[in-house]
């Protein structure tokens, strides 16, 4: 009976969260209820000693703070880009690149270049907010624009400079750089499925030329993603991989049209914050590596520092009259509070479950099903991503148990955790909050997609998840 009670207490937080989210309760309410369930189970059933609690807080407390600061910078940067007109200059220039009789290269530029680029820098679905209206202007119907825009969210593990991957690594007891590398390797099925679906949605029967171009985009993005994670780590990898795709398709545009649109002074100023962000992270990493990484200097390479610096730069370098900076900061803070609150609540659930031994108990339970249980881990991650609408939430709920289950089975916990990370990240394209955001941008008065469009997105997620399950079963 004691084991049964422990199992019930360990499962209760996850069940409470998933049930409330399935009933369309606000994610903050669902997370708070799950946190209460976790605390009750920890206090009444598992009863960890003080040393275990303090050790977990010391290990994971700084991560919670770092994630909150990354999200603050991301929201502030997104607000600044919108208010100053910077994102419109970038998007408009890319749109002019795609003018011509064949719209497919330009659509791929927006979907696999601009969407993941903006998502990697700021997160929160900003990439779709920017690209969906542009896709309509390129001739796609609003429904197709929403579907293809959402399918561009292929680099979510690196969205907002990777807090979700950071959380998964910390709770799963893995090195974040290694988890990023394996997540990059396992992103190939997502890229293949997403590209195939986009080409079919746009062209129904893609020509051989478009298939070749799509394959080139997939290979470029995947190779750049893997190389970036191996060379410079998680935070800038999504930016670098999407930049590689933009460069490839700009080259295609120049070959087709002979010349690219002129780079204006406004566009140059709009790009300055991104240059600051990349130069800060990469430059600080290089300097510290040459200096032997002195103790206590790791914060200098943190995305939490540089995304906030980039946001402040964005507020200053663009001179078009607009709202006062204080108003923009207040707007960003009002957006950040619920976003950070959600992330912190879900992370707190993971911290409590890890500290109390609840996650370890679930891992032992999963191990009892044998090696076959490993194959289902990406699907569990996908369920978490769908219901929470964020890979950070999915990572906080399942990472500790995933890593423990793999270790208990003698499997590679790094591979299984990467499979969960990628699966949970791609599934957010069918999450109701993300879909509603994309729909609201181009379909005024609507919050839902037609059934056929929803099935298209769901089929893509299921296909990618099945491929990930197979990959984890073989590699782990």
């Amino acid at each position: 009976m004691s084991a049964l009670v422990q199992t019930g207490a360990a499962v209760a937080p996850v069940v409470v969260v998933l049930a409330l989210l399935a009933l369309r309760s606000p994610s903050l309410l669902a997370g708070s209820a799950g946190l209460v369930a976790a605390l009750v189970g920890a206090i009444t059933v598992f009863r960890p000693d003080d040393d275990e609690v303090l050790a977990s807080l010391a290990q994971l407390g700084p991560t919670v703070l770092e994630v909150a600061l990354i999200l603050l910078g991301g929201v502030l940067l997104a607000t600044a880009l919108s208010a100053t007109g910077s994102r419109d200059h970038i998007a408009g220039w890319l749109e002019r690149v795609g003018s011509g009789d064949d719209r497919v290269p330009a659509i791929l530029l927006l979907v696999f270049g601009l969407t993941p680029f903006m998502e990697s820098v700021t997160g929160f679905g900003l990439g779709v907010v920017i690209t969906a209206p542009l896709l309509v202007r390129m001739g796609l119907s609003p429904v197709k624009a929403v579907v293809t825009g959402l399918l561009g969210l292929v680099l979510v593990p690196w969205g907002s400079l990777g807090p979700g991957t950071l959380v998964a690594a910390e709770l799963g007891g893995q090195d974040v750089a290694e988890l990023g590398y394996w997540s990059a390797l396992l992103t190939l099925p997502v890229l293949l499925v997403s590209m195939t679906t986009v080409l079919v949605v746009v062209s129904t029967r893609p020509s051989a030329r478009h298939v070749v171009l799509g394959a080139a985009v997939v290979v470029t993005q995947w190779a750049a993603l893997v190389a970036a994670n191996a060379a410079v780590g998680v935070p800038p990898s999504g930016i670098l991989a999407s930049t590689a795709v933009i460069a490839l398709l700009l080259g295609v545009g120049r070959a087709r049209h002979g010349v690219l649109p002129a780079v204006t002074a406004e566009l140059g100023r709009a790009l300055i914050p991104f240059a600051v962000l990349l130069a800060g992270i990469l430059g600080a990493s290089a300097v510290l590596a040459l200096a032997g990484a002195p103790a206590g200097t790791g914060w200098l390479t943190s995305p939490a520092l540089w995304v906030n610096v980039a946001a402040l730069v964005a507020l200053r370098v663009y001179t078009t009259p607009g709202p006062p900076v204080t108003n923009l900061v207040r707007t960003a803070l009002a957006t950040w509070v619920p976003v950070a609150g959600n992330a912190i609540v879900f992370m707190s659930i993971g911290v409590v479950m890890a500290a109390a031994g609840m996650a370890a108990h679930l891992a032992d339970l999963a191990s009892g099903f044998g090696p076959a249980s490993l194959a289902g881990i990406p699907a569990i991650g996908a369920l978490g991503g769908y219901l929470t609408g964020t890979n950070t939430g999915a990572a906080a709920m399942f990472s500790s148990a995933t890593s423990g289950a793999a270790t208990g089975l003698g499997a590679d916990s790094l591979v299984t955790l990467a499979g969960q990370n990628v699966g949970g990240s791609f599934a957010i394209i069918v999450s109701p909050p993300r879909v509603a955001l994309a729909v609201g941008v181009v379909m005024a008065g609507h919050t839902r997609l037609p059934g056929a469009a929803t099935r298209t997105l769901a089929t893509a997620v299921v296909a990618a998840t099945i491929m990930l399950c197979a990959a984890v079963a073989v590699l782990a």
Side-chain angles (χ1 to χ4, degrees):
M1 179 63 70
S2 176
L4 185 60
V5 171
Q6 284 188 320
T7 299
V11 170
V14 177
V15 171
V16 167
V17 169
L18 297 184
L20 288 175
L21 288 172
L23 293 172
R24 301 296 177 89
S25 297
S27 57
L28 185 58
L29 173 62
S32 298
L35 179 58
V36 171
L39 289 170
V40 170
I43 294 170
T44 61
V45 178
F46 285 87
R47 300 176 182 175
D49 59 45
D50 293 342
D51 290 339
E52 290 175 327
V53 173
L54 291 175
S56 294
L57 290 176
Q59 177 188 1
L60 298 172
T63 301
V64 174
L65 177 61
E66 184 174 13
V67 168
L69 290 175
I70 291 172
L71 295 175
L72 173 61
V75 171
L76 185 58
L77 181 57
T79 302
L81 292 174
S82 175
T84 61
S86 296
R87 75 179 192 186
D88 295 329
H89 282 289
I90 296 171
W93 188 84
L94 292 175
E95 184 186 19
R96 290 194 297 274
V97 171
S99 60
D101 54 346
D102 185 3
R103 64 183 182 175
V104 172
I107 289 173
L108 297 185
L109 175 63
L110 294 177
V111 174
F112 293 96
L114 185 60
T115 298
F117 181 89
M118 288 298 184
E119 191 69 16
S120 296
V121 175
T122 61
F124 321 112
L126 179 64
V128 181
V129 170
I130 293 173
T131 55
L134 293 176
L135 290 168
V136 172
R137 285 159 62 176
M138 287 188 176
L140 294 185
S141 69
V143 171
K144 286 187 176 182
V146 170
V147 171
T148 53
L150 288 168
L151 286 165
L153 297 177
V154 290
L155 302 184
V156 172
W158 298 269
S160 297
L161 302 177
T165 299
L166 175 63
V167 170
E170 289 291 339
L171 291 177
Q174 303 295 331
D175 179 76
V176 65
E178 293 183 357
L179 179 60
Y181 177 75
W182 272 99
S183 296
L185 289 174
L186 290 177
T187 295
L188 181 59
V190 169
L191 294 175
L192 289 171
V193 168
S194 182
M195 178 60 73
T196 301
T197 308
V198 167
L199 289 176
V200 170
V201 169
V202 171
S203 305
T204 307
R205 294 187 178 183
S207 67
R209 179 160 58 92
H210 293 157
V211 171
V212 170
L213 181 61
V217 169
V218 168
V219 170
T220 299
Q221 193 152 51
W222 185 58
L225 186 65
V226 172
N229 277 273
V232 298
V234 169
S237 292
I239 300 173
L240 295 174
S242 49
T243 299
V245 170
I246 292 173
L248 170 69
L249 292 171
L250 287 180
V252 171
R254 181 169 183 178
R256 291 177 61 226
H257 303 301
V259 64
L260 295 176
V263 176
T264 63
E266 289 82 3
L267 177 61
R269 285 196 295 270
L271 294 174
I272 289 176
F274 303 105
V276 169
L277 178 62
L278 278 176
I281 294 175
L282 298 179
S285 299
V287 170
L288 290 182
L290 291 174
T297 59
W299 63 273
L300 290 172
T301 63
S302 172
L305 169 65
W306 290 106
V307 71
N308 281 282
V309 171
L312 295 176
V313 169
L315 291 171
R316 289 298 182 186
V317 300
Y318 199 74
T319 57
T320 297
V325 170
T326 54
N327 288 353
L328 295 180
V329 172
R330 280 197 293 266
T331 299
L333 289 174
T335 303
W336 172 72
V337 168
V339 171
N342 272 312
I344 291 171
V345 164
F346 279 103
M347 289 179 66
S348 298
I349 295 174
V351 170
V352 171
M353 293 180 68
M358 302 163 79
H361 182 81
L362 291 178
D364 291 339
L365 187 67
S367 300
F369 291 96
S373 62
L374 296 176
I377 285 176
I380 293 173
L383 176 64
Y386 165 73
L387 290 172
T388 65
T390 164
N391 67 325
T392 304
M397 290 174 65
F398 299 122
S399 296
S400 183
T402 291
S403 187
T407 301
L409 290 167
D412 191 327
S413 56
L414 190 60
V415 174
T416 55
L417 193 59
Q420 173 203 286
N421 190 31
V422 176
S425 296
F426 190 54
I428 70 170
I429 70 170
V430 289
S431 177
R434 291 297 178 107
V435 173
L437 175 64
V439 168
V441 172
V442 295
M443 299 170 62
H446 295 78
T447 58
R448 297 184 179 222
L449 281 174
T454 301
R455 285 192 293 274
T456 298
L457 291 173
T459 300
V461 170
V462 170
T465 302
I466 290 173
M467 294 170 70
L468 284 168
C469 289
V472 168
V474 172
L475 296 173

